[in-house]
Amino acid sequence: MTKINDFAPAKINLTLHVLGQRPDGYHLLDSLVVFADFGDRIEVSPNSELALSVEGPFADGVPTGEENLVLKAARLLDPVRGASIHLYKELPSAAGIGGGSSDAAATLRALGEMWGMPLPGNAMTLGADVPMCLDPKAARISGAGEGRMPVEGLPAMPAVLVNPRVGVPTPAAFKGLATKNNAPMPDVIPDFVDVTAAADWLAGQRNDLSAPAREIAPVIDDVLAVLDDALLARMSGSGATCFGLYPDTETAQQAALRIAAKRPDWWVAPVTLNP
Ligand SMILES: C[C@](O)(CO)[C@H](O)COP(=O)(O)OP(=O)(O)OC[C@H]1O[C@@H](n2ccc(N)nc2=O)[C@H](O)[C@@H]1O
Ligand SMILES: Nc1ncnc2c1ncn2[C@@H]1O[C@H](COP(=O)(O)OP(=O)(O)OP(=O)(O)O)[C@@H](O)[C@H]1O
C-alpha cells in the first residue's frame, strides 16, 4: 500500500514586525522566518474514510476531531475523499512555532501527492502561518502571512528552542500590542558570513509580540534569562517559545543540556535553523 511521509518542521520567526492592522482585524506583518531540522511527522495512506491518529511526546491535548488542522487541510483539498493520516507530534502546541500550521502544510503536500492534486491557493484559510509552511525555507513574510519572498544568504544557524510549557493565545498577544504601526525591517536583508554576523544584524530587529506575550506569560522573561549566553535570544511568533542562536552545534548542545538540567519541566531542543 502506498504510504507517503512528510516532515512538518518548527517555524521560527527570527523577527516579527507588526506594521498595522487591516479593517478585518488581522495585522500586517514583516517577518523573517526560518525552519528547524526538528518537527512533527505526517504519514498518509489510502483509506475509504478520513481518519486521524496522533501519537508522540506532545500528542496529549492535540484535538483529534474535525478541528484538527490536519483534517481541515485534508477537507480543504477534497471535501469528501478518504485517507488515513498519522501524526507524530514532537512539537508543543500553542507555542509560537507553528506546529499545527506546519502539520496542515505537510498534510497538503502529502495528500496532494497521493491524490495527484496541486497545492491549494487558499491555504491561508487554515491559518495565517500555513502558506509560509508550504515551502519551508527561509523567507520574508508580508501581508497577514500570505506574502512570501525567498531569502538567500542566511547561514545554517545552530540554536536552542526553549518552551516553558505555558501557552500564549495568539489573538491575546496581538490584542495586547501597545502600538500597531511599527517600523518594518530594512528593505534589504544582507548576506551574512556566519551566524555571529546574522545575530548582530538580528539584534537590531524586533519581535513586536514579545512585550504583550511577556505581560500574558511573565515566565517568558525567565526563558530569555536562561538563554543569556546565546549570541541572540528572542521569542518566536506569539510565544512562549524562545530561541537562542549559538556559534556552533556543540555550544548549542551544551547550552541545551544546561537549560534542561536547570528546568526539567521545560521543553528544550537543540536544533539547526536551516536557510
Ligand atoms: C504570530 C504568527 O505565528 C507569526 O508567524 C502568525 O501571525 C499567527 O499565525 P496563526 O497562528 O496561523 O494565525 P491564525 O490561526 O490565522 O490566527 C489566529 C489569530 O491571530 C490573530 N492574527 C493572526 C495573524 C495576523 N497576521 N494577524 C492577526 O491579528 C487574529 O486574532 C487571529 O484570529
Ligand atoms: N495538528 C495540530 N497540532 C497542534 N495543535 C493543533 C493542531 N490542530 C489544531 N490545533 C489547535 O491549534 C492550537 C494552536 O496550536 P499551534 O501549535 O498551531 O500554535 P502555535 O505554535 O502558537 O502556532 P503559530 O505559531 O502558528 O501561532 C492548539 O491549541 C490546538 O488546539
Side-chain angles (χ1 to χ4, degrees), residues 254-275:
Q254 282 165 359
L257 287 173
R258 174 183 59 75
I259 297 165
K262 194 171 175 186
R263 300 305 304 246
D265 49 328
W266 289 1
W267 176 74
V268 182
V271 300
T272 298
L273 303 178
N274 290 316

Side-chain angles (χ1 to χ4, degrees), residues 33-235:
V33 169
V34 290
F35 292 85
D37 61 349
F38 188 90
D40 298 337
R41 290 192 302 277
I42 292 271
E43 185 183 86
V44 302
S45 50
N47 199 44
S48 54
E49 307 284 314
L50 185 62
L52 173 68
S53 54
V54 187
E55 66 166 339
F58 286 105
D60 279 1
V62 173
T64 50
E66 289 286 328
E67 69 274 35
N68 193 295
L69 284 164
V70 164
L71 293 178
K72 285 189 178 177
R75 285 292 172 236
L76 183 71
L77 215 50
D78 190 312
V80 292
R81 204 157 166 174
S84 176
I85 308 176
H86 187 68
L87 169 61
Y88 192 84
K89 199 78 201 158
E90 291 270 16
L91 298 173
S93 295
I97 51 177
S101 308
S102 201
D103 295 347
T107 303
L108 293 174
R109 288 192 302 266
L111 286 181
E113 188 183 334
M114 191 167 86
W115 291 343
M117 294 172 73
L119 293 175
N122 58 349
M124 184 82 181
T125 58
L126 298 169
D129 274 344
V130 180
M132 67 182 82
C133 293
L134 281 174
D135 186 12
K137 295 194 187 78
R140 183 172 187 165
I141 299 304
S142 59
E146 73 283 4
R148 183 180 178 283
M149 287 283 291
V151 172
E152 317 280 340
L154 290 182
M157 292 185 268
V160 179
L161 306 182
V162 183
N163 180 281
R165 308 303 305 118
V166 171
V168 178
T170 305
F174 276 107
K175 211 170 166 207
L177 280 166
T179 55
K180 309 237 169 190
N181 301 299
N182 305 296
M185 289 187 282
D187 285 347
V188 177
I189 299 176
D191 291 352
F192 304 106
V193 285
D194 57 19
V195 61
T196 305
D200 284 349
W201 183 85
L202 288 167
Q205 314 304 319
R206 315 181 304 275
N207 179 341
D208 289 330
L209 294 181
S210 185
R214 285 156 62 204
E215 288 280 324
I216 296 164
V219 69
I220 293 168
D221 289 329
D222 302 335
V223 175
L224 291 168
V226 297
L227 288 166
D228 64 351
D229 61 342
L231 297 169
L232 173 88
R234 177 167 290 157
M235 195 184 84

Side-chain angles (χ1 to χ4, degrees), residues 16 111 189 241 243 250 261:
L16 181 46
L111 286 181
I189 299 176
T241 306
F243 62 90
E250 197 187 332

